[in-house]
Amino acid sequence: MKLVGRAWVFDDDINTDLLYPAACFRLPVEERPALTMSANRPGWSREVRPGDLLVAGTNFGTGSSRPAADNLKALGVAGVVAESINGLFFRNAINTGLPVLEAPGVRAFVREGTRVEIDLDTGAIRSEGRTLNVRPLPGFLARILAEGGILPRLRKEGYID
Amino acid sequence: MSRPQTQIERTLSLHATEAPGRPVEPEEFVEVEVDRLVLLDMAATHPEFLAHLPRRVHRPERVAWVFDHLVPAPTVELASGLVKLRELAARWGITSVFDIGRGGISHPLMAEKGWVRPGEILANTDSHTCAAGALGCAGRGVGMLEVMSILSTGRTWFRVGETVRASLSGHLAPGVAGKDVFLSLAGEFGAIPGRNIEFAGDGIAGLPIPTRQAIATMCAEISAEFALFPPDARALDYVRARVPADEPLAPVRADPDASYAAEWRVDLSGVEPLVALPNRVARNVRLVSEVAGVTITRAVVGSCANGTIEDLEAVANVLRGRRVHPGVVFTVTPTTSDVMAEAARRGLIDTIVAAGALVTSPTCGACFGGHMGVLGDGEVCVTSTTRNFQGRMGSPNAKIYLASSATVAASAVAGCLADPRGLEGKRP
Ligand code: SF4
């Protein structure tokens, strides 16, 4: 799977309370994405465009099990690449069909606003004529992503309606 | 010779769906059988769950449903969600439903009810499921979508992470708690996304189970995958007292020659009361004495990490014969109904209420900014809950300091961040 888009760059420790504030639980599902990053970067949820990519520092998605990746997906974010990613956020992202990749070195490699190309299967990240090579996404996770997340798979296997 | 295994490697290896018992290695992905599964009331708020219900549930007798985040329900919508969940539990044959007034916060509750067993794999939606590691159980928060998959199949996957060993020696000084031990690790070593942590060393024997639970629970805040204590005599005694006699335990230990990615050493005798400054936990920790005097408006004791009988005792010991500062609202939330009953029996609730603090029913409410006392604009809170993220407990314009329950109580009395040492009458 290949992703190409404009990069938004965030720092270390972007947590799930920033991605999916508690106020979301009291709102209808369609109103939740507008609150994404409202505490740390007010207005961002209106500026981000479908197909944009999110680049971040270490420990991205630290925090709770809330479906934080859903907000990013609903805003049209095409994928997240970060220096390191919290395991629970990583799993939630794959399961909801949001591409994610751990890429040590990516925070300094990408400048905000530039066009970035990410090849999840080879681990090659291209930006401004340079390439950063990281460990690709393991095949079985790439397959869940390709199927659109875990629910389509469970439906196909007859576990859910 | 097969590769020596760490405690978590051995646990995952024994649960593998293919070639169980074959040694596993870091970076490998392993599919495993899950021993027990915990669902929460938050299921009702998940955008996909109620719309795509599993057709049937794998081993419903191994599934518990705990109502902890949204209790007592603060809105009509959430109350209606709980109604649906009760119906679903009945339809699926899930009889272990821990409803309002008969349960508490899932992580300590599951341990209290004998659902956390050494050597087992426990899955729960919630991130602090690593709490189960206090009893040598491989607990992991996996999120709602994965829980839907486990409900259907009884299986999940884990990436085997590298493991850090934290060797504890010495004894905690009076007024110093498990929370301080965790904060010292988080402050010095920072976050370890993708890695596990295993505790070792002769300092463990002296740590009561609630202290271990506080430490293991908080390891979610350094993004650890699993956080395991060895199943020593104290842990086994705790579990055996809660599990039917005819159900054998199968504790798992690390091989003595297992290799670790890093070795952290902590002399418990040297740990002092610590506080995480607002907005992040890892590498954001100071001595309480360095920030003493910062004015606070709110003080909170509670959460899956720090609402145990040990915490309520520490609070009561500080409050006995003292008053909560007039400029501070202090709320104290026991983790479970049983803890609340025990605290009442011991007179701790009397002491806390007499000092001018509010004791609430067991709930996650304030910890995640859901209800039961959210923070307003400009408030400054010191809390023994789990997270100090911006906006976590209410307004994004509030500040949250994270500390032990004793430090929170001392600060509530002083009206500003304060060191609890010397105030605490006696240690439990
Ligand atoms: S007490 Fe707080 S951290 Fe623990 S499970 Fe509840 S909301 Fe999560």
Side-chain angles (χ1 to χ4, degrees):
Chain A
M1 186 182 285
K2 264 199 187 136
L3 311 170
V4 185
R6 177 176 65 141
W8 293 94
V9 178
F10 286 83
D11 273 325
D12 296 344
D13 301 314
I14 294 297
N15 64 62
T16 53
D17 286 69
L18 299 176
L19 295 168
Y20 202 96
C24 288
F25 298 118
R26 293 186 292 268
L27 292 176
V29 171
E30 37 325 326
E31 291 174 31
R32 297 177 185 182
L35 298 187
T36 313
M37 312 271 200
S38 52
N40 56 324
R41 204 158 169 176
W44 180 76
S45 67
R46 284 192 305 277
E47 294 171 57
V48 64
R49 293 283 164 262
D52 286 355
L53 295 167
L54 209 147
V55 174
T58 58
N59 202 23
F60 186 86
T62 191
S64 78
S65 67
R66 58 187 72 181
D70 288 22
N71 268 359
L72 294 176
K73 205 176 101 173
L75 290 171
V77 170
V80 176
V81 251
E83 299 274 334
S84 59
I85 299 178
N86 173 283
L88 178 50
F89 176 85
F90 187 89
R91 185 189 292 266
N92 276 336
I94 298 284
N95 280 345
T96 199
L98 175 73
V100 276
L101 190 66
E102 279 194 318
V106 76
R107 168 73 180 78
F109 180 76
V110 173
R111 285 189 307 139
E112 179 151 301
T114 57
R115 190 174 165 281
V116 181
E117 235 183 275
I118 301 161
D119 189 329
L120 296 171
D121 306 309
T122 64
I125 302 174
R126 291 190 187 83
S127 178
E128 303 184 82
R130 297 159 303 137
T131 304
L132 175 73
N133 287 302
V134 302
R135 198 192 292 265
L137 199 68
F140 95 98
L141 296 180
R143 281 192 295 280
I144 298 178
L145 273 184
E147 290 169 17
I150 193 80
L151 293 183
R153 169 172 295 191
L154 289 174
R155 194 171 302 119
K156 202 172 71 193
E157 292 173 355
Y159 289 116
I160 61 172
D161 290 323
Chain B
M1 261 284 292
S2 65
R3 186 177 173 279
Q5 301 275 275
T6 66
Q7 190 177 347
I8 187 60
E9 286 167 354
R10 169 86 62 224
T11 306
L12 293 175
S13 140
L14 290 172
H15 286 77
T17 55
E18 275 175 43
R22 177 190 62 82
V24 300
E25 298 202 27
E27 295 305 334
E28 199 180 314
F29 283 79
V30 203
E31 191 193 49
V32 295
E33 303 282 355
V34 172
D35 293 298
R36 282 162 217 282
L37 177 65
V38 180
L39 290 172
L40 301 182
D41 53 0
M42 291 298 273
T45 69
H46 192 272
E48 311 275 10
F49 176 65
L50 290 173
H52 306 282
L53 292 172
R55 288 187 178 155
R56 64 192 159 277
V57 166
H58 181 85
R59 295 209 290 181
E61 72 284 2
R62 292 295 191 99
V63 180
W65 214 325
V66 181
F67 294 180
D68 58 2
H69 281 66
L70 314 170
V71 297
T75 67
V76 173
E77 287 70 26
L78 294 172
S80 306
L82 298 186
V83 171
K84 285 189 204 148
L85 300 190
R86 289 183 190 109
E87 287 166 5
L88 264 180
R91 193 206 304 170
W92 282 338
I94 297 171
T95 53
S96 297
V97 177
F98 296 91
D99 212 320
I100 300 169
R102 300 184 285 278
I105 302 176
S106 75
H107 312 301
L109 179 74
M110 290 292 91
E112 200 177 88
K113 300 296 180 192
W115 280 67
V116 176
R117 303 184 185 187
E120 289 197 349
I121 292 180
L122 174 81
N124 176 331
T125 33
D126 191 84
S127 57
H128 288 98
T129 309
C130 52
L135 299 170
C137 172
R140 189 72 187 104
V142 294
M144 196 61 220
L145 292 170
E146 191 71 19
V147 161
M148 289 169 69
S149 178
I150 300 171
L151 267 175
S152 304
T153 66
R155 298 173 169 193
T156 190
W157 57 266
F158 292 107
R159 177 182 149 277
V160 181
E162 290 183 326
T163 303
V164 169
R165 182 162 60 186
S167 292
L168 311 182
S169 60
H171 291 277
L172 289 178
V176 180
K179 187 64 142 279
D180 299 309
V181 176
F182 166 77
L183 288 172
S184 78
L185 294 173
E188 185 171 351
F189 301 106
I192 52 165
R195 290 181 169 191
N196 314 300
I197 177 164
E198 288 182 12
F199 293 91
D202 54 16
I204 290 176
L207 299 179
I209 298 302
T211 307
R212 301 180 193 189
Q213 287 171 319
I215 297 171
T217 307
M218 288 304 295
C219 286
E221 302 320 316
I222 49 172
S223 282
E225 286 282 307
F226 294 94
L228 291 175
F229 277 80
D232 66 0
R234 203 163 186 163
L236 291 175
D237 286 350
Y238 178 96
V239 177
R240 276 198 212 286
R242 291 163 170 80
V243 167
D246 59 340
E247 296 184 22
L249 302 179
V252 170
R253 295 180 175 79
D255 291 336
D257 47 352
S259 67
Y260 291 84
E263 180 96 16
W264 298 350
R265 288 182 192 284
V266 183
D267 175 8
L268 297 175
S269 339
V271 177
E272 295 191 61
L274 294 165
V275 56
L277 305 183
N279 296 350
R280 70 186 69 204
V281 180
R283 297 198 192 276
N284 194 28
V285 173
R286 300 282 182 284
L287 289 168
V288 172
S289 54
E290 282 176 63
V291 287
V294 171
T295 303
I296 60 163
T297 61
R298 299 286 294 272
V300 177
V301 160
S303 84
C304 50
N306 284 107
T308 65
I309 195 72
E310 185 179 75
D311 293 285
L312 299 193
E313 186 124 46
V315 170
N317 286 345
V318 170
L319 293 187
R320 197 165 289 119
R322 299 193 174 91
R323 298 281 305 165
V324 172
H325 190 278
V328 177
V329 169
F330 184 13
T331 52
V332 177
T333 301
T335 48
T336 66
S337 292
D338 286 1
V339 166
M340 196 160 192
E342 172 72 14
R345 265 196 300 279
R346 293 200 204 170
L348 306 177
I349 294 190
D350 274 2
T351 306
I352 295 170
V353 171
L358 172 72
V359 177
T360 81
S361 55
T363 179
C364 290
C367 172
F368 79 107
H371 58 107
M372 198 70 100
V374 298
L375 303 183
D377 287 341
E379 292 213 85
V380 181
C381 177
V382 60
T383 180
S384 68
T385 55
T386 58
R387 294 192 169 126
N388 59 352
F389 303 158
Q390 189 181 7
R392 167 73 180 179
M393 298 175 75
S395 166
N397 303 314
K399 285 197 167 65
I400 307 171
Y401 291 84
L402 216 59
S404 74
S405 295
T407 298
V408 171
S411 307
V413 168
C416 57
L417 293 179
D419 194 315
R421 286 173 298 183
L423 286 184
E424 219 193 12
K426 61 172 175 53
R427 259 182 89 73

